Amino acid sequence: MPQLSEPPFNNLYEALMKQLAADPYVFRIPGDDTGAAGFGKTWIRTLREQTAAG
């Protein structure tokens, strides 16, 4: 995976990768078989929706 250059995002990336390494199923949404990728897409979509609503 590519490293992100901005410090806040780099720290977030590192924290999320540690969580994923500790439990590969931590980012699964029940009923969604896309795993971490599906979780990431849902998370980003939700952030965008919240930003647009705010």
Side-chain angles (χ1 to χ4, degrees):
M1 303 264 333
Q3 291 288 334
L4 301 174
S5 61
E6 296 295 321
F9 294 111
N10 193 27
N11 294 339
L12 176 61
Y13 173 83
E14 289 177 18
L16 293 174
M17 289 294 98
K18 285 180 185 177
Q19 290 179 357
L20 184 60
D23 181 1
Y25 298 103
V26 71
F27 297 117
R28 289 193 73 206
I29 298 172
D32 182 355
D33 62 354
T34 58
F39 178 91
K41 286 181 182 180
T42 300
W43 184 50
I44 294 297
R45 184 183 71 240
T46 301
L47 289 175
R48 287 182 178 150
E49 290 170 356
Q50 294 298 314
T51 300

